Amino acid sequence: MEKAKKIWMDGKLVNWEDANVHILTHTLHYGFGVFEGTRCYKTVDGPAIFRLDDHLKRLYNSAQILTIDIPVGFKEMAKASKEIIKANHYQECYLRHIAFIGDGEMGLGTMTNPVRTAIISWKWGAYLGEEGLKKGIRLKTSSYARLPVQSFPCKAKAVGNYVNSILAKREALKAGYDEAVMLDSSGYVAEASGENIFLVFGDTIITPPESSSILNGITRKSVIELAKDLGYQVKEETFPRDTIYIADEVFLTGTAAEVTPVREVDNRKIGKGSAGDATLKIQAEFFKIVLGKNPKYKKWLTYVD
Ligand SMILES: Cc1ncc(COP(=O)(O)O)c(C=O)c1O
């Protein structure tokens, strides 16, 4: 990773090398913390953060779900999100917001440790590879079920939830795939380790509903809206893994992965075995929007300057 000059930490800009924590940081031991991943794009009118308010709303909602009281207000966090990009002179970057429990007392029940916050920015290209973005990736159904809603807060982007995602991701990578798709505890398709999933059948697009054990992806929400604009019918419904195998096209959405086509699932070619036409059309529209080239969706951009 290319180091940036500054990191915003607990209200101050500090040098990258100085953004350190104590080994007794509570979240490091128990995974109790919340975070966000957001992108800033080099738009035609200068750097702009995509759906910053929605990402911050999800951050504060995640904290509410976990009963973490973030000591920095929403407005200050939004201002700091722009400040860190300016401080690092980025035109485009990834932003990681995190709120975590610092050191002090140990044990699961401690309530007195400080809640600490940071915003880190770095250059992050195509998460699933440039080639994946163009030609499509290979997916493997995970042997790990997605977080059961009875046990995990799946509407929170909670640090500890990602043990489940990383187990699935590592299993897929070790088996020679690019990404894992996870089923819920009843066997229905939920989402990929860090992305939401969409299937295309002609002019109809389906994706698991918000009520399933998925993160309510902001890219997912954006793609549903823009796909409707493009004339597709979008349905949120549950489906078993076999439905993926017979789809005309499959794609994943996420802040890091953007709109990534899927060309193969569990050794079955999807459609032609390459990125599908509808997927590429939606992907092109998505990039137009994030780059500020679609006036209708400028409302989703927060300009840094
Ligand atoms: C588990 C999971 N699902 C879905 C997503 C996609 O969400 P978004 O589009 O808001 O980045 C992410 C990434 O944040 C994720 O970690």
Side-chain angles (χ1 to χ4, degrees):
M1 182 192 288
E2 192 185 292
K3 290 182 192 173
K5 269 170 68 181
K6 299 284 182 187
I7 286 177
W8 182 94
M9 210 170 177
D10 302 319
K12 288 196 290 278
L13 289 176
V14 298
N15 290 334
W16 178 281
E17 287 76 16
D18 299 327
N20 301 315
V21 294
H22 194 273
I23 194 66
L24 283 178
T25 294
H26 193 272
T27 304
L28 183 62
H29 295 256
Y30 304 122
F32 200 72
V34 295
F35 71 104
E36 263 311 314
T38 307
R39 273 191 194 267
C40 168
Y41 287 92
K42 184 180 177 184
T43 77
V44 285
D45 304 307
I49 307 169
F50 185 62
R51 303 197 78 160
L52 176 64
D53 279 7
D54 293 296
H55 280 282
L56 291 184
K57 260 179 224 149
R58 191 170 65 188
L59 180 75
Y60 285 86
N61 283 343
S62 297
Q64 160 77 5
I65 292 169
L66 265 66
T67 67
I68 292 175
D69 201 3
I70 298 181
V72 179
F74 189 100
K75 278 195 181 149
E76 195 187 335
M77 195 70 94
K79 190 164 159 251
S81 307
K82 295 197 240 174
E83 251 170 47
I84 188 66
I85 296 170
K86 279 196 231 171
N88 290 324
H89 306 294
Y90 280 143
Q91 290 292 309
E92 57 189 350
C93 63
Y94 180 85
L95 279 185
R96 167 59 48 83
H97 295 80
I98 185 164
F100 61 99
I101 313 293
D103 58 302
E105 300 298 322
M106 283 308 267
L108 302 186
T110 178
M111 303 275 182
T112 53
N113 292 12
V115 174
R116 306 200 47 196
T117 48
I119 312 172
I120 311 114
S121 61
W122 69 87
K123 290 222 164 191
W124 209 359
Y127 176 66
L128 293 167
E130 276 301 332
E131 186 162 318
L133 207 53
K134 289 192 186 105
K135 299 190 174 153
I137 59 150
R138 297 176 61 242
L139 266 188
K140 181 186 185 328
T141 304
S142 182
S143 67
Y144 291 98
R146 194 70 190 132
L147 304 165
V149 289
Q150 308 93 309
S151 312
F152 283 92
C154 57
K155 301 305 161 207
K157 200 165 163 64
V159 175
N161 286 1
Y162 284 79
V163 172
N164 179 248
S165 283
I166 293 173
L167 283 169
K169 180 81 181 183
R170 288 168 81 105
E171 180 186 65
L173 291 177
K174 285 184 179 179
Y177 292 82
D178 303 301
E179 183 54 293
V181 59
M182 306 181 75
L183 310 180
D184 65 18
S185 39
S186 305
Y188 292 100
V189 174
E191 60 180 339
S193 72
E195 302 87 21
N196 295 111
I197 187 165
F198 288 79
L199 312 185
V200 182
F201 291 90
D203 289 336
T204 302
I205 297 178
I206 63 170
T207 191
E210 273 194 19
S211 55
S212 58
S213 50
I214 62 167
L215 186 74
N216 290 345
I218 290 161
T219 321
R220 173 187 179 278
K221 199 162 72 168
S222 312
V223 161
I224 289 175
E225 205 171 324
L226 77 89
K228 285 181 183 165
D229 272 2
L230 291 173
Y232 295 97
Q233 192 192 2
V234 184
K235 291 189 195 162
E236 297 184 49
E237 59 186 38
T238 45
F239 51 87
R241 66 191 281 182
D242 2 341
T243 311
I244 306 182
Y245 302 151
I246 55 173
D248 298 334
E249 301 179 28
V250 177
F251 64 89
L252 304 180
T253 63
T255 296
E258 299 166 314
V259 178
T260 297
V262 174
R263 63 184 162 88
E264 194 185 308
V265 182
D266 297 339
N267 294 319
R268 290 155 179 92
K269 242 203 269 179
I270 300 298
K272 298 174 286 182
S274 56
D277 296 341
T279 303
L280 291 177
K281 205 164 142 188
I282 290 165
Q283 186 193 62
E285 192 57 36
F286 175 78
F287 282 125
K288 226 169 110 181
I289 291 171
V290 298
L291 296 175
K293 295 177 186 167
N294 182 338
K296 181 175 172 196
Y297 290 108
K298 280 203 173 179
K299 60 181 182 192
W300 286 347
L301 301 174
T302 298
Y303 290 94
V304 172
D305 295 315

